[in-house]
DNA sequence: CTCTGTATTGAATGAGTGTTCAATTTGTTG
DNA sequence: CAACAAATTGAACACTCATTCAATACAGAG
């Protein structure tokens, strides 16, 4: 038998190569050949570890989702339990990935597009969307009535997606710090506009 | 010679077929063969009128952009010149296309993704983005200082994109009316938070 | 009806891609 | 070192798709 753990190493190699190739060549240009070349492995290895190209793409999206979730958990843990601060942490978490991986925004957009015609990717996307939304509602609920909380949560979620989209389109011209700041400004405005009406 | 105007008829036939095929099969599945079948024409006609697949795709995106601009012009013309009402009209215009063409949202997303790796599509996208942004700033500028106006405009633009994205992802589950209402609520909050500081 | 040039067709072509699997390499065990 | 199995390779294969272009259909002019 060969070294144990070699499987997870190869899997990660291929996922990293996939992200890199999508970043430079786009989703359409992400062929098995290019991914294999970028990972310095052979084309056959993809079928061996992921069963095929589709399996590799799904694994790559799962990886991106898990990174996002990890960012969120880390930032939530290091903050006070103040509801407003928690909301700010959620915003930060949703933009922190952009800085470290400039390629992420483009790749996300590519996956979203692909996800619309792939049930499995669609399911993953929906789960993640639900989590963000219910997280936002939970904290907003402590600052305003249910109605405005629901509306504000949906608005914040749309803003986050919108800024990601713009970041992807403008080749990193839009600063993630700026996007996060605008989201936070909105949250404060929404709190001010609805506070005291609850409790 | 055959009938004059036959060219514009065929072009529109092919553009309509392209939109229809992208809606059902996705951008990746939009092949010349399917488009030709949907338009009840032959595959060769595409090269004849558009020089190739890429030309047809660019023409289709131009068509979508012109539809959006037409919606905007129409709604702006039938409203009072009140700055706030103008902003509301802009929001309505950006969501009016979703209702009539449920396929639009998916197709927009597909084009956005494609645009990132096609200079010509990217250029079209940028022009449209600039127009929306400067339109928003122009009207906001009459209701608040330059700084907040700039920030609010970018936030509104991101919200619009974000809601479109969500509409595309959720197969029309999100009502465009609701999205427009949330955008308007935000605009009013932003005006209230910054009014009186200008002029 | 015949002629003429435009409009249209669709089979043939060739480039590109994902998958397969027999052969090879690599690391471990006896 | 020899024997073995897991890991890896990459050429061959089958398939899809965009493009091309010689052949055909067609509308109006004479």
């Amino acid at each position: 038998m060969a070294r144990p753990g070699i499987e997870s190493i190869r899997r990660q190699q291929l996922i990293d190569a996939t992200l890199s190739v999508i970043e430079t060549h786009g989703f359409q240009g992400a062929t098995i050949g290019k991914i294999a070349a970028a990972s310095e492995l052979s084309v056959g290895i993809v079928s061996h570890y992921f069963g095929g190209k589709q399996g590799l793409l799904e694994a790559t999206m799962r990886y991106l989702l898990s990174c996002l979730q990890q960012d969120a958990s880390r930032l939530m843990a290091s903050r006070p339990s103040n509801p407003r601060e928690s909301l700010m942490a959620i915003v930060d978490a949703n933009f922190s990935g952009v800085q470290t991986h400039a390629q992420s925004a483009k790749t996300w957009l590519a996956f979203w597009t692909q996800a619309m015609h792939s049930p499995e990717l669609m399911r993953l996307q929906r789960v993640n969307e639900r989590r963000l939304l219910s997280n936002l509602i939970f904290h907003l609920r402590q600052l305003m009535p249910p109605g405005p909380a629901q509306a504000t949560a949906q608005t914040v979620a749309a803003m986050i997606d919108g800024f990601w989209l713009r970041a992807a389109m403008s080749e990193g011209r839009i600063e993630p710090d700026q996007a996060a700041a605008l989201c936070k400004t909105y949250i404060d405005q929404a709190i001010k506009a609805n506070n005291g009406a609850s409790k």
Side-chain angles (χ1 to χ4, degrees), chain A residues 84 88 91-92 95 159 163 174-189:
Chain A
R84 181 180 167 279
M88 300 302 163
V91 171
D92 282 333
F95 287 107
M159 277 181 61
F163 279 123
I174 285 184
E175 296 290 329
D177 294 342
Q178 190 185 343
L182 290 172
C183 287
K184 292 177 182 177
T185 300
Y186 165 69
I187 291 176
D188 279 333
Q189 283 178 6

Side-chain angles (χ1 to χ4, degrees), chain A residues 1 6 18 28 48 57 66-67 76 90 115-116 162 171 196-197:
Chain A
M1 226 179 282
I6 189 75
T18 303
Q28 308 228 41
H48 184 249
L57 292 176
S66 75
C67 285
M76 290 294 280
I90 291 175
M116 297 189 311
E171 306 238 22

Side-chain angles (χ1 to χ4, degrees), chain A residues 12 15 19 56-74 93-94 96-97 101 104 107-109 111-112 115 118-132 161 164:
Chain A
Q12 195 57 48
I15 288 174
L19 290 173
L56 173 57
L57 292 176
E58 287 175 9
T60 304
M61 187 167 179
R62 277 204 192 83
Y63 173 71
L64 284 180
L65 285 166
S66 75
C67 285
L68 184 62
Q69 203 178 346
Q70 244 176 329
D71 282 345
S73 302
R74 191 157 31 78
N94 275 280
S96 66
H101 303 291
S104 293
T107 310
W108 270 113
L109 185 52
F111 273 114
W112 274 333
S118 163
E120 177 63 10
L121 291 182
M122 181 74 104
R123 197 186 61 80
L124 289 174
Q125 171 61 23
R126 273 189 204 283
V127 167
N128 203 60
E129 185 178 314
R130 289 287 173 116
R131 177 160 41 223
L132 171 62
D161 287 351
W164 269 80

